[in-house]
Amino acid sequence: AVELALPWPDSGPSIVWRSPIGQGYSGCVIVKDRVYTQEQDRSGQYLLCLDLHTGQVIWRTRYGWPWQINGSWPGPYASPTFDNGIIYFADTYGIIGGANADHGKVLWLTHLGKGLGAKIPGFGYACPPLVFNSKVYCPAGGSGSSIIALDTITGRLVWKSGNDPGGYSPAIPILVEGHTQIVSYLENTLVSHDPQTGVELWRDDWSKGYDPHGSTPLYSAPYLYRAA
């Protein structure tokens, strides 16, 4: 258990460091003594690596153009994912990528829309990549591309499946009677796929028409909870 020094004083907890960064809504991933996140300024969208103890920038890597730089909801939206020395990221245009976590060099980029025929949601792509069993799972949407699985090392397509419109929630893995399923919360459907083949296992069509949402389902066997 983590012990918190509560109650906090009126002035709040003591601040160890501050580090100014650009726009966006990405969360932070902490791995050992490093903090990884995504941000943007007028020159582009970036991956950012900070020292956990000082807040100093270790590296900053540009991977794409900014999203709605003067708008009310500037990108990026997705949070990065760390696995086996690679930082996986998604930009608001539907580009998925992998970068070396040590020095930030981009290893590969895959465009879900232009390259794989996905229809990116109108408010911008916002799903953090799910990395599981040597694959990157990306809910997307459109004909044949409701969910897409990419190879973790190359970014090449492994499989894609489904014709449902996409959403803004990441895919999650659940374990049911010893078998893993990949569950995607799309615009009108909660759907499960086999992680290896992309075969649809079950679905729950629960709405029709325009129905965006951004919450992530929660699984506590044998129940799967969702909020719309």
Side-chain angles (χ1 to χ4, degrees):
V2 176
E3 294 186 6
L4 300 177
L6 298 174
W8 284 338
D10 293 339
S11 59
S14 59
I15 297 174
V16 179
W17 53 260
R18 294 179 186 269
S19 182
I21 63 173
Q23 296 176 325
Y25 293 88
S26 295
C28 294
V29 175
I30 297 175
V31 182
K32 296 182 179 180
D33 59 353
R34 292 188 173 191
V35 181
Y36 302 93
T37 190
Q38 296 174 235
E39 49 129 10
Q40 75 170 22
D41 60 21
R42 292 186 180 277
S43 64
Q45 293 185 55
Y46 290 84
L47 273 177
L48 186 65
C49 176
L50 306 172
D51 184 282
L52 175 63
H53 305 290
T54 66
Q56 291 184 338
V57 176
I58 297 174
W59 53 257
R60 185 173 184 255
T61 298
R62 183 184 184 277
Y63 58 79
W65 295 104
W67 174 272
Q68 297 184 3
I69 192 71
N70 293 319
S72 300
W73 311 105
Y77 302 146
S79 299
T81 302
F82 174 89
D83 183 74
N84 197 29
I86 298 177
I87 293 291
Y88 298 91
F89 59 92
D91 84 345
T92 37
Y93 296 96
I95 294 177
I96 310 298
N100 184 289
D102 289 334
H103 47 69
K105 180 181 178 180
V106 174
L107 304 174
W108 56 264
L109 294 171
T110 298
H111 199 306
L112 300 182
K114 293 182 180 179
L116 299 178
K119 186 177 181 180
I120 305 305
F123 290 109
Y125 195 77
C127 302
L130 168 64
V131 181
F132 177 79
N133 198 24
S134 300
K135 298 178 185 62
V136 184
Y137 297 95
C138 309
S143 179
S145 304
S146 292
I147 181 167
I148 292 171
L150 307 174
D151 181 83
T152 54
I153 303 302
T154 65
R156 294 175 180 170
L157 177 69
V158 178
W159 56 257
K160 59 180 183 176
S161 179
N163 302 303
D164 302 290
Y168 302 94
S169 302
I172 63 169
I174 66 173
L175 188 65
V176 181
E177 297 182 350
H179 299 281
T180 301
Q181 305 177 17
I182 301 299
V183 174
S184 303
Y185 194 22
L186 305 173
E187 184 168 0
N188 307 117
T189 301
L190 190 67
V191 61
S192 168
H193 290 88
D194 179 274
Q196 296 299 327
T197 65
V199 171
E200 184 178 303
L201 302 176
W202 56 261
R203 65 168 42 233
D204 179 15
D205 297 316
W206 60 279
S207 70
K208 294 182 179 180
Y210 181 71
D211 193 11
H213 54 269
S215 61
T216 304
L218 297 176
Y219 179 65
S220 179
Y223 300 107
L224 184 63
Y225 300 90
R226 66 165 182 238

